[in-house]
Amino acid sequence: MVKKRACVFISGKGTNLKSLIHNTRNYNFPININLVISNNYLAAGILFAKKNSIPYFVVDTSQRNFESLILKKIKKNKIDIICLAGYMKILSQNFIKNFGKKILNIHPSLLPKFKGLNTYYKIIKNREVHTGCTVHVVNEKLDSGKIIVQKKITVYRHDSVESLKYKTQKLEYRAYPEALIKIFRYN
Ligand code: GRF
C-alpha cells in the first residue's frame, strides 16, 4: 500500500501527534507523517517530531505572509492531507482553498455542541450527561465541517475539567486514526 503523506499542525503538547505517529508504524495504516508544523516555538509536541526524525517547521504567525510560508513547505513536501491536532490558529479561507485537499481537525466535544474554546468548562457548566470528541473536515467556519468520526462518553457528576480532559483525550487517540482509515478506505 502506498501511504498518503500527512502534515500535522500543533500548538501545544502534541499528544494526538504522538498517538498518530504510533499508528503510522502499522503497515496497514493509510498515512505517514512527513511534516509537522507548529506556530509555537515552545510547543512540547515538537519533541515527538524530533524523536521520530520527522521534519518540522515552526512559523512565526505574526508575520503577514505566514500562511504562504506554510503552503510552500506543504507543496514542497507533497502533502496529501493536513491533520490539525491542537493547532490554535484559524486557517484562512484562502489557505484552505489553495491547499485544495482535505484538512481534518479534532475537537473535544460532540459537535455541533460546544464549538470554540473552553470546551470542558462549558460542558460541565451546562450539566451535560454525555460528551466526547469529533474529527471533522475543516471548512471556512469554526468547528463546522463534515463530521467523519464521533466518539461518546458519559459525564458524571463528580467530573472536573481535568477528568473530562483526560477521558476525552483517550478517546481522541482512537478517533483520529479511525477517521483517517475511514477517509482513505473510501477514496
Ligand atoms: C485536543 O484535545 C484537541 O481536541 C484540541 O486540542 C487538544 C490538543 O491536545 N483541539 P494535544 O496537543 O494533542 O495533546
Side-chain angles (χ1 to χ4, degrees), residues 34-170:
N34 298 87
L35 184 65
V36 169
I37 284 180
S38 176
N39 64 325
N40 174 10
Y41 288 92
L42 301 174
I46 294 172
L47 198 69
F48 299 123
K50 285 187 185 164
K51 270 191 184 161
N52 291 280
S53 310
I54 300 170
Y56 62 92
F57 179 54
V58 184
V59 66
D60 178 356
T61 46
S62 62
Q63 282 181 71
R64 209 168 47 89
N65 61 342
F66 79 93
E67 283 194 337
S68 58
L69 292 177
I70 295 177
L71 267 177
K72 231 167 134 184
K73 279 271 171 199
I74 288 204
K75 296 247 155 102
K76 202 172 151 208
N77 282 276
K78 299 192 166 49
I79 296 302
D80 300 304
I81 185 161
I82 293 175
C83 301
L84 307 184
Y87 184 66
M88 300 305 286
K89 196 96 194 158
I90 292 173
L91 298 172
S92 73
Q93 209 167 332
N94 205 32
F95 180 94
I96 297 170
K97 200 177 119 230
N98 278 326
F99 175 57
K101 297 176 190 169
K102 261 205 180 76
I103 305 178
L104 299 182
N105 182 40
I106 187 151
H107 186 77
S109 76
L110 294 172
L111 289 175
K113 281 186 159 184
F114 308 111
K115 297 176 183 178
L117 296 174
N118 302 318
T119 322
Y120 303 116
Y121 171 76
K122 289 180 202 161
I123 290 163
I124 286 175
K125 200 170 162 230
N126 220 48
R127 296 177 193 274
E128 291 295 303
V129 178
H130 293 110
T131 184
C133 67
T134 306
V135 180
H136 66 93
V137 174
V138 172
N139 65 11
E140 67 289 350
K141 286 195 202 134
L142 182 69
D143 300 329
S144 297
K146 183 182 170 206
I147 290 171
I148 310 291
V149 166
Q150 215 158 35
K151 287 194 179 291
K152 199 167 164 182
I153 44 167
T154 305
V155 183
Y156 296 103
R157 282 195 13 221
H158 59 259
D159 266 317
S160 61
V161 166
E162 288 72 30
S163 69
L164 264 196
K165 181 174 174 185
Y166 178 76
K167 291 193 289 188
T168 308
Q169 288 205 318
K170 269 174 81 173

